[in-house]
Amino acid sequence: PSWGPHRLALLVPFRERFEELLTFVPYMHRFLSKKRIRHHIFILNQVDHFRFNRASLINVGFLESGNNTDYIAMHDVDLLPLNEQLDYSFPEGGPFHVASPELHPLYHYKTYVGGILLLTKQHYEMCNGMSNRFWGWGREDDEFYRRIKGAGLQVRRPSGITTGYETFQHLHDPAWRKRDQKRIAAQKQEQFKVDREGGLNNVRYQIESRTALNVAGAPCTVLNILLDCDTSETPWCTFG
């Protein structure tokens, strides 16, 4: 294939998973280069003391990714595509869920849009990005699915992939990498609501530093990000 006119911003929410990062960056650079996908890898490193907020990091990555990229991949650092037939090209027809429920090694429900999701920047803006109210692990992509539907967009998924649950390598080891699944106070009720107000328009953050990095010959940019939290709005951003 020839190099196309589009350029992908690969947005990787991140905190303290350096072993996975050392594998992920060179692997994805090789994978995308072989497919002639112009790309730039952004490691969105949360360096504040609040609980992990994947959605806010993706919002920040979108805002900081620059005008020379015209679509994004929301990409987990612990998920590697093994099948070269997987499509990472410009998703003009709507959000394209690479890690579809039929292929993801863990999550198989039909409204799942986590793991790896491609969107044009225009479509992401139509959704006002992701909700900033999800601190801790999980649920933010379920809320984003509702935003996609609310924006009148249709999620598309891979077809003709015959490798099933062997399509991806999942690097996460739950035995030693515990996820922050604690639900605090009103967070239990909030986690199933649709956030109709917030997103790209009100994400609060500072870029502590921006560093160009080369990992085993693969270039990337590390954004050290300080998120801010209004504890009157989302008191569950801390453990108290």
Side-chain angles (χ1 to χ4, degrees):
S2 61
W3 297 91
H6 301 288
R7 193 159 194 245
L8 169 67
L10 197 75
L11 306 181
V12 187
F14 180 80
R15 180 182 257 176
E16 298 172 352
R17 300 172 75 156
F18 292 101
E19 304 89 347
E20 293 165 8
L21 190 65
L22 293 175
T23 300
F24 179 88
V25 172
Y27 184 92
M28 288 307 302
H29 179 62
R30 286 194 304 269
F31 185 90
L32 294 171
S33 297
K34 191 170 184 179
K35 294 174 73 65
R36 298 292 191 267
I37 302 289
R38 300 181 193 275
H39 63 278
H40 192 106
I41 300 172
F42 292 90
I43 307 303
L44 312 173
N45 184 30
Q46 185 176 340
V47 295
D48 54 68
H49 297 294
F50 296 113
R51 299 172 73 193
F52 190 63
N53 191 322
R54 176 177 175 267
S56 287
L57 292 175
I58 292 169
N59 284 340
V60 174
F62 178 91
L63 293 170
E64 297 289 331
S65 58
N67 294 327
N68 64 340
T69 57
D70 57 356
Y71 70 115
I72 66 168
M74 300 152 55
H75 209 302
D76 287 354
V77 71
D78 60 6
L79 202 60
L80 301 180
L82 300 178
N83 190 324
E84 291 182 6
Q85 292 182 313
L86 289 168
D87 188 4
Y88 277 74
S89 62
F90 187 73
E92 190 167 5
F96 186 73
H97 188 212
V98 179
S100 67
E102 301 82 25
L103 305 175
H104 194 286
L106 285 182
Y107 305 113
H108 306 144
Y109 57 96
K110 65 180 182 180
T111 59
Y112 177 65
V113 290
I116 308 166
L117 182 67
L118 307 182
L119 296 98
T120 69
K121 287 196 163 181
Q122 179 187 10
H123 287 160
Y124 194 74
E125 286 179 328
M126 284 170 59
C127 299
N128 189 23
M130 302 186 79
S131 172
N132 300 303
R133 298 178 68 84
F134 291 84
W135 302 87
W137 184 79
R139 298 292 184 192
E140 76 289 331
D141 46 10
D142 295 332
E143 200 271 352
F144 189 61
Y145 178 81
R146 296 174 190 161
R147 288 179 177 234
I148 291 171
K149 291 294 186 183
L153 299 171
Q154 189 71 36
V155 177
R156 298 176 305 117
R157 292 193 162 105
S159 61
I161 304 294
T162 59
T163 43
Y165 297 146
E166 306 298 317
T167 302
F168 299 95
Q169 180 182 358
H170 194 233
L171 301 175
H172 183 83
D173 182 355
W176 64 274
R177 181 76 71 184
K178 299 294 184 186
R179 283 177 167 143
D180 171 16
Q181 295 177 298
K182 191 174 177 66
R183 296 289 181 255
I184 300 169
Q187 187 180 10
K188 293 175 184 176
Q189 288 73 47
E190 282 275 336
Q191 64 183 339
F192 296 107
K193 292 182 181 177
V194 177
D195 177 7
R196 303 192 186 282
E197 304 296 329
L200 274 178
N201 62 320
N202 70 345
V203 62
R204 295 162 46 168
Y205 72 98
Q206 294 178 21
I207 300 297
E208 185 181 69
S209 62
R210 179 188 294 256
T211 305
L213 204 62
N214 192 297
V215 183
C220 66
T221 298
V222 178
L223 300 178
N224 287 325
I225 299 166
L226 291 159
L227 296 177
D228 194 12
C229 170
D230 182 347
T231 53
S232 66
E233 276 290 311
T234 54
W236 51 86
C237 63
T238 69
F239 285 112

